[in-house]
Amino acid sequence: MKLFIKTFGCQMNEYDSERIAAIFQERGYSLTDNLEEASFAVINTCSVREKPYHKVESELGRLKKFKKLNPDFKIAVCGCVAQQDGEKFLDRFDYVDLVFGTSAIDRLHSLIDLVEKGERICDTSEGDDELSIPVFGRGKKVSAFVTIMKGCDNFCSYCIVPYVRGREKSRKPSEILDEIKYLVNNGVKEVTLLGQNVNSYGKGLDEDINFPKLLYKVHDINGLERIRFVTSHPKDFDDELIFAIRDLPKVCEYLHLPLQAGSNKVLKMMNRKYTYEEYRDKVLKAKEMIPDLALSSDFIVGFPGETVEDFAETLKAIKEIRYESIFAFKYSPRPKTKASNFVDDITDDEKSRRLNELLSIQSKITEEINKSYVGKVQEILVEGKSKKGENQFSGRNRQNKVVNILSNHKLNIGDIVTVEIVEAKKNSLLAKIVEFVGR
Ligand code: 5AD
Ligand code: SF4
């Protein structure tokens, strides 16, 4: 029995796919990348924008012929599109056997039981999903995701997440810490704590805990070397978190703080609950307090009513803040969201033009920042062999940038090495070994 699993979208989906794979492994399935030998395929989907939504349809089209060749081959669709469309999937795609939503993973064993008996089922009910992972199933690696909370209560006007992931719910600290200890005992050196809005971690729990306090607890875990987290919401980003990043050596100097737009008018229409000036003051303070802090951000271009002048404010913002990298997207209306009632008045051509302009200005900034790394001595966590050639290894610095390392000694995955950056490339850095610290 072999499982093929394909994941679209964010890190939360990657984490969910690990949970799903672990459940299948408990049932005796092994993983395969080869559809021809798979007996079950799971497509974990994303609906945050229109593009990934359409990818699901083409992926299902690809799976159809395998079903024809082997009628016992089972197909499941899960994740945000499954949550959004539910039963519609079973109607539209008569060869799909199982549709399960973002809160149904806890019930997956019984769903698979029914599918294996030949039933076609949809479960998108919103019950309590405990987010626990059957730990033994997790693969060997040095860097792992750990979900600390799910859902979102912010209702940014463009965003479908609150509708497909439900209300915010935090996991208990003890559960999170146990999971990380397990991972560390199995070779993990770096964890990325995941939540749609990690700053509101702890709301609704009985214990006296918030996100910075959780960072302190995670930091105490012996053998863990690095802590990262995504995503912070700028409105809740505060001094307590700045101090935790500054004072906890394992917390990496990398902050993903999505601005989305530079115009206060657009931010208001987006229901982001901060002005550009408030945002800028917070990040400048963070940069001042945390040496070598790298910033990244998400942007939406062509939001309804965004004028050329509004867009110019976004360009001004990226020049002022100087992010190391950004993710930028053309606005696309999503079902149920408030903004889907606004007139989507910017043409697709104009959205593309704005996107290209934003990305091209950013790519110059990224290049300049990359060059400023040359000559610096940095700590790298080795994650694998580089595709670039023999004697080259690949890892990331604390600022989350990919660094290829030239080394005459064989480095192992999980090594932490000290390097000197010798060359800046467009999207990565090249380095030579200065000192081998430990295994
Ligand atoms: N259109 C375009 N981009 C969107 N995002 C979320 N919803 C939309 C949408 N409707 C982007 C935001 C968010 C990122 C994950 O996806 O920038 O931060
Ligand atoms: Fe979506 Fe806003 Fe919640 Fe992020 S904070 S998941 S953009 S609603």
Side-chain angles (χ1 to χ4, degrees):
M1 297 198 300
K2 295 213 160 159
L3 171 73
F4 170 90
I5 184 158
K6 176 141 186 174
T7 311
F8 294 97
C10 64
Q11 291 113 326
M12 192 78 80
N13 265 10
E14 282 183 42
Y15 180 84
D16 284 348
S17 286
E18 279 194 56
R19 291 174 66 202
I20 293 163
I23 290 169
F24 273 90
Q25 282 168 296
E26 271 181 334
R27 304 175 69 88
Y29 283 78
S30 57
L31 296 179
T32 179
D33 291 332
N34 180 359
L35 267 174
E36 275 165 31
E37 59 174 32
S39 36
F40 217 119
V42 175
I43 311 301
N44 194 356
T45 62
C46 169
S47 65
V48 75
R49 291 174 298 277
E50 216 162 301
K51 225 168 157 184
Y53 181 87
H54 288 306
K55 282 189 192 154
V56 180
E57 287 177 359
S58 55
E59 186 63 22
L60 282 176
R62 191 166 82 99
L63 292 181
K64 189 174 181 178
K65 70 169 191 268
F66 292 95
K67 185 84 172 188
K68 273 202 181 126
L69 290 173
N70 172 13
D72 292 333
F73 175 56
K74 304 290 184 199
I75 300 175
V77 180
C78 65
C80 296
V81 176
Q83 188 67 43
Q84 184 188 323
D85 285 357
E87 293 275 351
K88 271 197 258 169
F89 258 105
L90 295 184
D91 299 340
R92 269 184 67 201
F93 301 95
D94 60 4
Y95 53 95
V96 169
D97 300 282
L98 170 63
V99 176
F100 61 101
T102 50
S103 293
I105 303 178
D106 274 353
R107 298 185 291 277
L108 194 52
H109 269 302
S110 46
L111 294 172
I112 301 170
D113 281 341
L114 296 171
V115 169
E116 283 175 347
K117 282 186 200 136
E119 288 191 36
R120 296 181 72 223
I121 319 162
C122 171
D123 179 351
T124 50
S125 53
E126 289 198 358
D128 253 358
D129 186 45
E130 286 307 322
L131 291 167
S132 57
I133 199 157
V135 281
F136 82 91
R138 304 192 77 169
K140 281 253 174 252
K141 46 190 174 173
V142 289
S143 181
F145 295 130
V146 174
T147 293
I148 61 164
M149 60 187 300
K150 65 168 193 168
C152 183
D153 292 349
N154 284 319
F155 292 92
C156 301
S157 65
Y158 51 80
C159 187
I160 198 169
V161 167
Y163 304 95
V164 291
R165 290 269 175 189
R167 295 289 64 71
E168 273 173 12
K169 187 174 178 225
S170 296
R171 275 177 91 187
K172 287 195 192 79
S174 57
E175 233 182 72
I176 296 168
L177 297 173
D178 285 349
E179 182 170 333
I180 299 174
K181 282 178 200 155
Y182 172 86
L183 290 167
V184 169
N185 285 336
N186 284 278
V188 165
K189 297 278 171 70
E190 172 184 282
V191 290
T192 303
L193 308 176
L194 301 179
Q196 252 79 37
N197 178 17
V198 294
N199 299 84
S200 53
Y201 175 77
K203 265 202 273 171
L205 290 176
D206 296 335
E207 292 162 67
D208 171 29
I209 184 107
N210 61 13
F211 185 59
K213 286 185 181 140
L214 180 72
L215 283 177
Y216 271 86
K217 287 181 188 285
V218 174
H219 193 271
D220 279 344
I221 296 177
N222 280 334
L224 181 67
E225 304 279 353
R226 283 180 170 186
I227 304 167
R228 302 184 185 277
F229 58 89
V230 277
T231 293
S232 296
H233 193 300
K235 77 175 163 52
D236 305 318
F237 181 75
D238 61 8
D239 286 355
E240 194 183 351
L241 182 53
I242 295 182
F243 297 145
I245 304 172
R246 183 194 63 185
D247 296 339
L248 295 173
K250 293 180 186 177
V251 177
C252 290
E253 296 74 28
Y254 169 77
L255 183 63
H256 182 65
L257 201 63
L259 172 60
Q260 309 294 3
S263 144
N264 287 336
K265 180 192 96 191
V266 174
L267 287 171
K268 198 159 194 313
M269 297 283 285
M270 288 178 163
N271 193 29
R272 291 291 286 175
K273 302 192 183 86
Y274 53 81
T275 63
Y276 171 63
E277 291 72 24
E278 286 163 352
Y279 176 98
R280 182 197 54 201
D281 292 349
K282 283 187 186 185
V283 295
L284 292 185
K285 182 165 186 193
K287 267 189 166 176
E288 202 181 293
M289 306 285 288
I290 306 162
D292 301 322
L293 180 69
L295 288 166
S296 69
S297 182
D298 292 343
F299 288 95
I300 297 175
V301 301
F303 188 79
E306 184 189 67
T307 61
V308 171
E309 291 76 28
D310 291 322
F311 175 63
E313 305 268 317
T314 297
L315 299 179
K316 198 170 135 236
I318 62 161
K319 289 178 195 157
E320 190 167 32
I321 309 255
R322 291 183 66 80
Y323 297 100
E324 297 235 346
S325 62
I326 64 165
F327 303 88
F329 312 99
K330 294 192 273 187
Y331 169 72
S332 61
R334 309 309 296 129
K336 293 191 184 155
T337 60
K338 184 145 185 255
S340 66
N341 300 316
F342 304 162
V343 183
D344 183 15
D345 55 350
I346 318 289
T347 63
D348 191 57
D349 279 354
E350 178 59 12
K351 285 178 187 166
S352 301
R353 192 195 67 72
R354 291 182 195 180
L355 184 68
N356 289 338
E357 189 175 357
L358 181 64
L359 291 175
S360 104
I361 293 175
Q362 178 58 42
S363 102
K364 288 199 193 84
I365 298 171
T366 300
E367 221 173 308
E368 283 164 17
I369 294 180
N370 283 358
K371 280 194 186 132
S372 73
Y373 277 105
V374 174
K376 282 195 181 162
V377 171
Q378 294 210 293
E379 170 210 289
I380 313 293
L381 174 62
V382 178
E383 291 176 22
K385 255 192 100 55
S386 156
K387 287 167 227 126
K388 300 258 155 65
E390 279 297 300
N391 302 335
Q392 276 209 36
F393 299 85
S394 169
R396 274 172 306 138
N397 64 9
R398 295 175 60 90
Q399 287 73 22
N400 212 24
K401 204 170 281 289
V402 172
V403 179
N404 291 306
I405 310 161
L406 300 164
S407 170
N408 293 327
H409 316 285
K410 184 177 177 316
L411 302 182
N412 290 303
I413 294 179
D415 285 346
I416 290 187
V417 292
T418 305
V419 302
E420 183 189 328
I421 308 297
V422 291
E423 200 183 322
K425 310 262 182 187
K426 223 167 171 288
N427 294 310
S428 64
L429 301 171
L430 189 67
K432 65 175 191 215
I433 293 278
V434 174
E435 191 190 343
F436 183 79
V437 176
R439 199 141 282 186

